[in-house]
Amino acid sequence: MKNRLTHEPSAVGLAASPALLGLLFAASVTAAAGVAHADDAAAKGLAIAQKADQANAGFISEKSTVALDLINAHGDVTKRKMMTEVLEGTDDGDKSRSVFEWPADVKGTKLLTFTHKKSDDDRWLYLPAVKRTKRIASSAKSGSFMGSEFAYEDLSGQEVEKFSYKLLEEPQHNGRAVYKLERVPVDKESGYARQIVLMDKEYLQPLRIDYFDRKNELLKVADFEGYKKIGKFWRWTAIRMDNKQTKKKSVLTWENRQLGLKLPGESFDSARLED
């Protein structure tokens, strides 16, 4: 007679079942708690980003003179100066225009940016040496702005919709209370895997941003300094960008900052950059 294989549960298996079920239940509860915590952190992070966006809405426009210092790994400094204008968006993102005024080799160079909430930003660069305007492809957003450590995407409007968020903690930074946020670019062509933002609770503006490259390694750190209040809005007077991989630095410094001006709309027309 052939042997028959039986599939009846053993006494040992039956005895172990309650313990096993208990472990599975505990694991499921822990996993559910982890998901709930992550969802809560994401909801809080988004709420903070939206609060900051609302606090900075209504400035209408901005105009200033901006100095750009390029500092190489040996400490040598190259200086540039430009005029910048920003026109606040209502239904979509802001528009900005930068015109280099000094030195002579870059004088007249213009950058025009239209920031969008849910699509790629539009950028145009006018080069006076060749008297030509070229459109900057969205895939080039991580490229260097005029040889600096600032990428084009660093200088675009930081619209809330461009990131997903997570509140990590609420620590102190240089004696100020901040929200520590992780934000991840929605755009897969961004040069960053993620960013860590230390947002001042009073200013509702960043004090520091750590940028991580696509390999999730720390690439550079931006420190926002010299905050001043203009009307009801807090604005920094300098951003120091420190590239941790190349040891190069760049500093943007704002002067004569004015808000709420009536800026001519034709200044933000890409067809008129060559005027």
Side-chain angles (χ1 to χ4, degrees), residues 25-41:
F25 176 75
S28 65
V29 170
T30 301
V35 171
H37 177 74
D39 290 345
D40 187 49

Side-chain angles (χ1 to χ4, degrees), residues 61-271:
S61 66
E62 180 176 320
K63 184 175 182 178
S64 57
T65 300
V66 181
L68 172 60
D69 290 354
L70 312 179
I71 308 168
N72 67 20
H74 303 290
D76 302 319
V77 181
T78 300
K79 293 184 174 291
R80 292 174 175 172
K81 183 177 287 188
M82 57 187 168
M83 181 276 298
T84 66
E85 295 177 328
V86 181
L87 190 63
E88 184 179 22
T90 52
D91 297 328
D92 203 358
D94 301 337
K95 297 179 180 180
S96 64
R97 185 175 78 109
S98 297
V99 181
F100 279 85
E101 300 177 336
W102 187 88
D105 61 338
V106 296
K107 183 177 181 179
T109 300
K110 302 174 185 177
L111 175 67
L112 178 64
T113 302
F114 290 3
T115 303
H116 302 298
K117 293 182 178 181
K118 296 182 179 180
S119 60
D120 289 332
D121 296 343
D122 294 308
R123 299 179 183 87
W124 297 266
L125 185 66
Y126 171 67
L127 301 171
V130 295
K131 296 182 179 180
R132 184 170 65 88
T133 298
K134 68 174 184 177
R135 188 163 186 155
I136 300 173
S138 60
S139 58
K141 63 172 59 69
S142 60
S144 167
F145 170 65
M146 297 297 288
S148 74
E149 299 312 302
F150 292 91
Y152 287 107
E153 63 181 305
D154 301 338
L155 302 175
S156 297
Q158 304 297 293
E159 307 296 336
V160 173
E161 294 82 358
K162 290 186 175 296
F163 304 90
S164 62
Y165 300 86
K166 184 186 298 182
L167 174 63
L168 301 179
E169 55 181 316
E170 300 183 41
Q172 295 275 319
H173 178 70
N174 292 338
R176 297 201 54 91
V178 301
Y179 299 110
K180 184 175 182 179
L181 301 171
E182 178 184 70
R183 65 183 189 186
V184 176
V186 174
D187 187 352
K188 301 303 180 184
E189 291 187 333
S190 170
Y192 308 116
R194 62 190 178 101
Q195 301 170 15
I196 300 296
V197 182
L198 299 182
M199 181 181 293
D200 191 282
K201 289 186 176 182
E202 179 186 2
Y203 304 155
L204 289 174
Q205 293 277 24
L207 294 183
R208 171 176 167 144
I209 302 178
D210 293 356
Y211 298 88
F212 293 80
D213 63 20
R214 298 304 301 179
K215 296 179 181 179
N216 205 23
E217 296 176 353
L218 181 62
L219 174 60
K220 55 192 184 182
V221 173
D223 288 301
F224 296 71
E225 304 173 348
Y227 271 93
K228 294 182 178 180
K229 201 169 188 179
I230 305 174
K232 69 172 186 176
F233 302 102
W234 286 100
R235 291 292 187 268
W236 56 81
T237 57
I239 305 177
R240 299 181 181 275
M241 186 70 83
D242 184 357
N243 192 311
K244 298 300 184 179
Q245 296 183 10
T246 66
K247 307 306 179 184
K248 296 180 181 179
K249 299 178 176 66
S250 295
V251 182
L252 287 170
T253 306
W254 277 256
E255 300 174 353
N256 305 319
R257 204 166 199 166
Q258 303 173 74
L259 304 182
L261 302 176
K262 291 186 177 180
L263 301 178
E266 56 268 24
S267 297
F268 299 90
D269 185 347
S270 60

